[in-house]
Amino acid sequence: MEEKPLKKPQESKSVKKTITAQKAPEFTYKPFQLQQFSCVGKSVLKIDGISLARGRALFTDDFQIPQVHYVKFLYSPHAHARILKIDTSGAEKIPGVVDIIHCFNSPQTLHTTAGQGYPEPSPYDTMMFNSTVRFIGDKVAAVLARTPQIADKALKLIKVEYELLPPLFDFEKAYEPGAPQLHPEPGKGYLAGMTYKPEENTCALVEINCGNFEAGIKMSDYTFDETFYTHYASHAMLEPHAVLSYLDEQDRLVIISSTQVPFHARRICAMILGIPERRIRVIKPRIGGGFGCKQEVFLEYYAAYFTLRTGLPAKIVLTRREVFRSTRYRHPMRLHLRVGTKPDGTLQAIWIDALMNNGAYGTHGLTVLSNAGSKVLPLVNKAPHQRFTGRTVYTNLPIAGAYRGYGATQGYFALNQMFDIIADRLNLDVVELFRKNAIRRGETSPIFEKLGEGKAGSRQDIESCGLPDCIEVGLKEIDWYAKRRKRLTDGTRVRGVGMACMMQGSGIPRVDMGSAYMKMNEDGSINLQVGATDLGTGSDTILAQIAAETLMVPIEDIIVKSSDTDFTPFDVGAYASSTTFVSGCAVLRCAQQIREQILGVAAEILREPAESLQMAQKTVRGKARALTFREICQYALYTENQFQIQASSSYVSPVSPPPFSAHFVEVEVDRATGDVRVIKYIAAVDCGTPINPRLVEGQVEGAIVNGISWTLIEEFRFDEKGAQLNTDFGRYKLFTAADIPEIKTILIPTYEPNGPYGAKSVSEVAMNGPAPAIANAIYDAIGIRFRALPITAEKVFQTLKTQSTR
Amino acid sequence: MQVKLTVNGETNTFKIQPGETLLETLRAAGYTGVKCGCEAGDCGACLVLLNDLPVNSCQVLTAAIADEAVTTIEGLSRDSLANLIQQELVAAGGVQCGFCTPGIVVSATALLRANPHPNRAEIQQALASHLCRCTGYVKIIEGIQNVARRL
Ligand code: FES
Ligand code: FES
């Protein structure tokens, strides 16, 4: 971003005083009247709720099978080193040690651990064990032993000879000439041939132009340049990753795994282990949260390989320390924004330039990067000239991967602060700035078409958009005009309010596929089998609601089984906010077929045309009489023209309707300590029809608290050798129940014509709000802008101190 | 070595390794409702009642509590107060992945036994030793408030 700004508004010395107080416009919001459904739109109880609350539902580590052996890993103590020799002789002698694997005796198959569709839009740059280790936490060897203690003991006796290589820690210098090269080995790169430049430590490059950015900037009256930084973070789902593998009675490999992507896990394991998919069954039991951290296949194949080598069941349960050191994290990013506007704040041109740190390996490197543009720029579609450029680099730091929000979170941190800055400088209400520039129903953005997930995107018009209503309702709820720019002060504590607008998507259009299978039982109940993966979100319940609604049966009559590659049809898994929308549409279509079949059988029994029959409450009513579902199913199974009432359906969407949201936050900054306390948090969300409002609120609240915690207190600390220092919850703190502010989620219903019963997704969108909204509120309170995350009390304190001494 | 313990009212002898934690003993004996989230006393997923007081079982050495009484989530599932808590947590939407839930049910049971009508701050304090990454705690607090209202 080398050009000089044409005109830059002068930063006024006392911005606060010169700005005229903004008046509250009239409140005119009238909620959209939701269509009345029988099961959809109701907060039915989560179908696995009680068994979870009783501790009866089984998670991976809860499966106990005889003869199980345990896997433990030896991790690299060096950030960058070549392995010259591994001596396992001492470790092998320990009684109870069964097998040891490492780079010299295991399959050397290049792959990516990203649990994405095939061919993955992530570079193939890693192996089960790499002979060059690239971060502290890279796997060097694995031991299979009778107990975890024996395995741990064996690890200490493995002797490894390393040749140290210079490490690369500063991601902003990663592509400079002379930087240590992390992946010089030939043969690495993308299956689908995307740009890959290992000589510049670059695993992804993106450039998208809509309109003519340079011309747009020249035509602009004001230009703004800003740089923002976001940081590493742990998903910190409560259940550490776990895998159990064993051979069943037919010598097939069964892998029980805490995975978000059972079908991708099967495919990737088959490839690495060199066995066909038919020999592998992956089961996802209950899983204790994922948030993207389990959209990676990086453990299953170790357990499976041991099982294949030894015939023994093998179990891996990571410790929390391992989760912190050797799994996946949020991608740190540097974002440059350059924006040109008219005097009234209408955007003329916007350029987001992102530099992303992927750590040692490139998993999700291209797609997370792209999402910082593709999920962000369409929101401000009024700018005719848009550019997105991005680069993802390798460093000798922990591996970044998918994390709720997936690049959009990073992008919105920058965009929303940029809007706040522009509004401030142009003396506008930031809310007005969004109203002027944000996308509306019936509109589109060229970005949708140009920027997809590793390839071009998919054109789409916005057919539902509740953003204006979200803004209006949020404004009122936080009492914006009474608080904004007021700096209400109590001793050393000052209050401020800030806001942020955001969107996400609903699945990856023309890529993500979900499918469903259903069959009817004699009592009128329905088995619903879906590949969709409930990782605690409640998707089993939501899909059951969609089925129950379509078939007009109570939810208890839908028996859901999900995520077993032997018994459920394919689904990409739980990521990209896809399940409610994509898998939901598959279930809807499947249920519609079942409905047709039920009516068909009833028509045959009653000798009436199916079109004249009415279905309600597990009966079909004809002119002559009504038939119960039991009668219908019994007839189909036993009486005449027997067949199983059953259907299957797949769905892949041409569009990815975005959920929209506006967040408003009030904070209190203590000028004496730097402490930032969130007082009140309002999230107004448009996710179309909320299939289950309570579960929707739960998704929003979970994301908000995760977001606040990430913004204010969560931070990876590394030592000078690149080792993460705070690898437990004692030192990597999360928000607890005692820390949370008043949080209010307001659902703004709209109807998305492409979604099942009008629904869009909701699991990720709220993650994008807390960081920018809080940063903006802090600025409102104390006039200091924090462009780099996290905004810890220490940082605020230091900044206040330097300011006051200046 | 062997240790006698009363778990959920049943007295049994458990074979344990030196240094084994109560969490390990319980899970190995099939009480898998007791979850392991950190093994460091930081998350509360492993919470049980020891002589009716809540403790993180990962922080207790089994050998040190010979002959004492332990109640796990499995045992509480016969307790009417715990049942009510379970129902209200589910009804409020306070159970997502459910990995933190057994520990939270144990905590809430201990809290409401001692103080059937806690205010919001007291509930928040009682839950402060638990981590939940899914719910943002809002609906967990709400669920417990709803129980208190029914007591
Ligand atoms: S496992 Fe005991 S407190 Fe976390
Ligand atoms: S519900 Fe998942 S950690 Fe609490």
Side-chain angles (χ1 to χ4, degrees):
Chain A
M1 298 201 171
E2 47 299 305
E3 306 94 315
K4 288 263 147 17
L6 290 176
K7 280 180 241 166
K8 201 159 185 177
Q10 290 291 305
E11 174 127 35
S12 72
K13 298 248 160 45
S14 51
V15 173
K16 295 293 150 184
K17 280 174 212 129
T18 62
I19 282 168
T20 42
Q22 286 139 1
K23 267 223 250 44
E26 226 175 291
F27 185 67
T28 54
Y29 170 66
K30 277 196 200 63
F32 165 83
Q33 269 314 309
L34 257 188
Q35 212 173 314
Q36 279 311 307
F37 300 109
S38 62
C39 190
V40 158
K42 306 270 183 317
S43 295
V44 303
L45 301 188
K46 197 161 170 290
I47 57 180
D48 51 355
I50 281 291
S51 73
L52 286 165
R54 291 201 176 133
R56 290 190 52 193
L58 295 183
F59 294 77
T60 303
D61 188 28
D62 301 339
F63 288 81
Q64 302 191 329
I65 57 172
Q67 284 286 305
V68 68
H69 281 58
Y70 296 85
V71 181
K72 288 280 173 187
F73 294 102
L74 181 68
Y75 295 104
S76 167
H78 306 297
H80 199 190
R82 197 166 295 130
I83 298 175
L84 302 176
K85 220 166 116 199
I86 300 184
D87 176 4
T88 57
S89 53
E92 279 160 25
K93 289 199 191 88
I94 299 180
V97 171
V98 179
D99 198 6
I100 301 176
I101 53 174
H102 44 72
C103 64
F104 300 120
N105 68 352
S106 63
Q108 294 283 291
T109 312
L110 274 177
H111 65 281
T112 174
T113 57
Q116 300 175 302
Y118 185 84
E120 300 93 337
S122 286
Y124 278 31
D125 61 2
T126 191
M127 299 185 198
M128 212 158 143
F129 294 100
N130 293 286
S131 55
T132 297
V133 286
R134 296 182 176 85
F135 73 107
I136 294 181
D138 216 348
K139 294 187 181 67
V140 173
V143 173
L144 181 72
R146 211 178 59 236
T147 68
Q149 291 76 18
I150 296 174
D152 273 331
K153 217 156 112 199
L155 292 180
K156 297 205 180 82
L157 296 182
I158 299 177
K159 292 204 193 84
V160 187
E161 237 175 80
Y162 296 98
E163 176 197 335
L164 296 191
L165 300 169
L168 167 65
F169 295 135
D170 185 349
F171 78 108
E172 295 186 82
K173 299 211 171 87
Y175 55 97
E176 283 179 3
Q181 244 196 74
L182 265 69
H183 290 272
E185 302 84 358
K188 296 190 172 184
Y190 292 85
L191 286 188
M194 289 85 154
T195 312
Y196 185 68
K197 290 194 172 168
E199 64 284 0
E200 294 176 11
N201 287 314
T202 295
C203 64
L205 271 176
V206 177
E207 175 163 4
I208 295 293
N209 288 292
C210 299
N212 182 337
F213 177 79
E214 308 303 342
I217 276 288
K218 287 212 184 83
M219 285 174 337
S220 299
D221 298 275
Y222 298 112
T223 58
F224 301 84
D225 282 282
E226 295 287 346
T227 304
F228 303 92
Y229 289 86
T230 67
H231 62 314
Y232 266 115
S234 171
H235 306 68
M237 66 277 139
L238 255 269
E239 179 205 26
H241 302 67
V243 178
L244 170 63
S245 73
Y246 58 92
L247 294 175
D248 71 6
E249 60 286 356
Q250 289 167 338
D251 261 356
R252 289 177 73 238
L253 182 66
V254 181
I255 303 173
I256 303 176
S257 174
S258 63
T259 179
Q260 295 175 224
V261 286
F263 286 89
H264 295 334
R266 183 180 66 174
R267 186 193 75 234
I268 292 170
C269 285
M271 180 180 92
I272 306 282
L273 302 170
I275 58 175
E277 275 86 349
R278 71 161 188 273
R279 278 202 63 200
I280 307 177
R281 173 182 176 196
V282 176
I283 300 169
K284 181 231 55 133
R286 291 297 95 192
I287 106 166
F291 314 112
C293 202
K294 294 170 179 171
Q295 194 203 332
E296 290 274 332
V297 183
F298 59 82
L299 283 182
E300 288 86 348
Y301 43 62
Y302 299 101
Y305 189 52
F306 274 131
T307 295
L308 289 179
R309 278 165 68 103
T310 65
L312 289 168
K315 192 183 242 188
I316 304 174
V317 182
L318 294 189
T319 62
R320 182 55 58 182
R321 184 180 154 87
E322 288 174 294
V323 173
F324 272 114
R325 275 220 170 157
S326 69
T327 61
R328 300 291 179 266
Y329 313 97
R330 187 182 292 286
H331 288 91
M333 253 191 224
R334 179 191 75 196
L335 298 120
H336 283 313
L337 261 66
R338 187 162 158 81
V339 176
T341 74
K342 292 186 190 164
D344 71 349
T346 310
L347 261 57
Q348 287 284 61
I350 178 167
W351 175 12
I352 299 180
D353 176 62
L355 178 69
M356 185 166 95
N357 177 4
N358 225 96
Y361 300 95
T363 172
H364 295 273
L366 172 59
T367 40
V368 168
L369 177 72
S370 303
N371 271 266
S374 65
K375 297 281 191 290
V376 177
L377 286 172
L379 188 85
V380 291
N381 71 334
K382 297 301 176 294
H385 307 288
Q386 305 203 347
R387 172 184 285 177
F388 179 77
T389 51
R391 181 197 283 266
T392 302
V393 294
Y394 292 121
T395 59
N396 293 112
L397 289 170
I399 310 166
Y403 193 149
R404 188 181 218 172
Y406 205 80
T409 304
Q410 290 91 326
Y412 277 113
F413 176 66
L415 181 86
N416 277 294
Q417 285 213 71
M418 189 55 147
F419 264 52
D420 211 57
I421 291 167
I422 296 173
D424 197 44
R425 303 259 178 90
L426 299 186
N427 200 7
L428 294 167
D429 183 359
V430 65
V431 171
E432 213 32 66
L433 201 59
F434 271 111
R435 286 206 188 101
K436 264 193 195 112
N437 290 292
I439 195 164
R440 285 169 186 261
R441 195 158 77 98
E443 297 178 356
T444 186
S445 157
I447 296 286
F448 287 134
E449 200 172 344
K450 288 212 167 162
L451 189 50
E453 300 257 323
K455 54 181 181 184
S458 189
R459 203 205 117 77
Q460 68 174 350
D461 292 325
I462 298 298
E463 297 185 54
S464 62
C465 176
L467 186 60
D469 293 340
C470 289
I471 292 176
E472 201 166 341
V473 169
L475 277 177
K476 187 172 156 72
E477 201 59 49
I478 200 87
D479 206 358
W480 182 256
Y481 295 100
K483 293 174 179 164
R484 178 75 162 171
R485 291 172 176 160
K486 296 292 187 297
R487 290 195 178 172
L488 303 174
T489 304
D490 173 11
T492 54
R493 299 193 303 262
V494 198
R495 291 211 176 178
V497 290
M499 64 93 64
C501 291
M502 67 219 75
M503 58 172 248
Q504 198 82 26
S506 299
I508 309 172
R510 297 196 281 132
V511 174
D512 278 352
M513 191 272 277
S515 56
Y517 168 76
M518 282 183 193
K519 70 177 173 64
M520 190 178 195
N521 305 310
E522 280 135 302
D523 61 351
S525 65
I526 308 280
N527 291 99
L528 167 61
Q529 273 137 354
V530 286
T533 306
D534 191 335
L535 55 146
T537 49
S539 67
D540 283 354
T541 307
I542 288 195
L543 298 176
Q545 283 181 265
I546 292 171
E549 181 71 40
T550 314
L551 294 167
M552 301 183 152
V553 299
I555 185 130
E556 297 74 34
D557 275 316
I558 307 290
I559 308 152
V560 185
K561 275 274 169 287
S562 60
S563 318
D564 179 331
T565 59
D566 265 14
F567 296 109
T568 61
F570 182 88
D571 192 289
V572 289
Y575 58 88
S577 293
S578 57
T579 307
T580 300
F581 183 75
V582 177
S583 313
C585 279
V587 170
L588 175 64
R589 290 175 165 213
C590 190
Q592 282 164 343
Q593 291 178 50
I594 295 279
R595 195 184 148 92
E596 295 305 306
Q597 291 179 28
I598 295 171
L599 289 171
V601 175
E604 185 177 320
I605 302 172
L606 296 171
R607 297 175 199 286
E608 290 179 33
E611 305 75 60
S612 66
L613 303 176
Q614 301 290 326
M615 188 186 278
Q617 288 169 334
K618 294 182 78 177
T619 54
V620 174
R621 196 167 293 280
K623 275 198 230 49
R625 65 189 173 101
L627 296 168
T628 62
F629 272 20
R630 180 183 285 279
E631 287 172 289
I632 294 168
C633 191
Q634 279 179 342
Y635 179 91
L637 292 176
Y638 303 113
T639 313
E640 265 311 313
N641 300 322
Q642 289 88 329
F643 78 111
Q644 166 74 64
I645 294 179
Q646 62 179 338
S648 67
S649 186
S650 306
Y651 189 74
V652 57
S653 174
V655 292
S656 173
F660 293 93
S661 191
H663 290 190
F664 292 81
V665 64
E666 179 172 12
V667 303
E668 185 174 85
V669 186
D670 190 330
R671 298 192 68 108
T673 61
D675 216 32
V676 176
R677 205 156 69 85
V678 176
I679 305 290
K680 189 170 181 177
Y681 201 103
I682 310 293
V685 193
D686 151 32
C687 62
T689 302
I691 303 271
N692 185 320
R694 283 233 145 222
L695 294 183
V696 167
E697 287 166 12
Q699 286 299 306
V700 175
E701 289 155 3
I704 288 171
V705 173
N706 184 338
I708 300 176
S709 186
W710 177 57
T711 305
L712 296 179
I713 61 171
E714 293 178 34
E715 181 174 26
F716 277 24
R717 293 177 193 277
F718 297 101
D719 68 12
E720 69 288 347
K721 287 164 79 188
Q724 197 205 337
L725 294 170
N726 47 342
T727 53
D728 53 53
F729 288 137
R731 288 170 296 171
Y732 184 99
K733 294 257 187 242
L734 308 183
F735 258 46
T736 72
D739 305 315
I740 62 165
E742 179 190 344
I743 296 175
K744 187 161 179 183
T745 309
I746 305 166
L747 304 183
I748 303 291
T750 59
Y751 192 91
E752 170 53 47
N754 295 290
Y757 296 105
K760 297 188 273 192
S761 80
V762 76
S763 56
E764 295 181 275
V765 64
M767 189 72 214
N768 305 333
I774 291 171
N776 290 341
I778 293 173
Y779 180 79
D780 190 51
I782 56 173
I784 298 175
R785 185 157 298 281
F786 290 90
R787 292 170 174 81
L789 287 172
I791 313 174
T792 57
E794 192 188 328
K795 200 189 271 180
V796 177
F797 176 76
Q798 289 302 344
T799 314
L800 281 164
K801 213 168 80 182
T802 31
Q803 259 212 350
S804 64
T805 52
R806 247 206 254 133
Chain B
M1 71 193 276
Q2 304 218 322
V3 174
K4 232 206 276 161
L5 284 182
T6 305
V7 179
N8 301 334
E10 234 178 83
T11 307
N12 272 311
T13 307
F14 296 83
K15 226 183 108 204
I16 63 162
Q17 301 293 320
E20 186 170 308
T21 65
L22 178 58
L23 170 62
E24 291 167 325
T25 309
L26 290 170
R27 286 188 57 83
Y31 300 100
T32 54
V34 187
K35 302 299 181 200
C36 174
C38 71
E39 283 178 294
D42 293 325
C43 78
C46 65
L47 203 80
V48 297
L49 298 179
L50 178 61
N51 307 320
D52 289 330
L53 291 175
V55 293
N56 284 325
S57 60
C58 70
Q59 297 300 296
V60 175
L61 291 180
T62 310
I65 56 156
D67 300 319
E68 300 189 34
V70 175
T71 311
T72 70
I73 186 69
E74 287 87 354
L76 281 185
S77 293
R78 296 188 294 265
D79 178 287
S80 59
L81 176 59
N83 286 166
L84 194 61
I85 293 167
Q86 286 159 336
Q87 281 163 22
E88 291 294 345
L89 280 178
V90 176
V95 178
Q96 283 190 32
C97 77
F99 199 80
C100 68
T101 315
I104 283 175
V105 170
V106 174
S107 250
T109 307
L111 167 71
L112 294 174
R113 274 180 186 169
N115 174 8
H117 299 288
N119 60 31
R120 191 185 156 91
E122 285 167 330
I123 296 174
Q124 284 179 286
Q125 264 325 310
L127 293 179
S129 54
H130 293 272
L131 295 178
C132 170
R133 192 61 146 178
C134 301
T135 64
Y137 310 101
V138 179
K139 297 204 170 346
I140 296 176
I141 297 169
E142 193 185 316
I144 296 171
Q145 283 176 319
N146 291 345
V147 180
R149 239 168 256 137
R150 287 175 61 178
L151 291 178

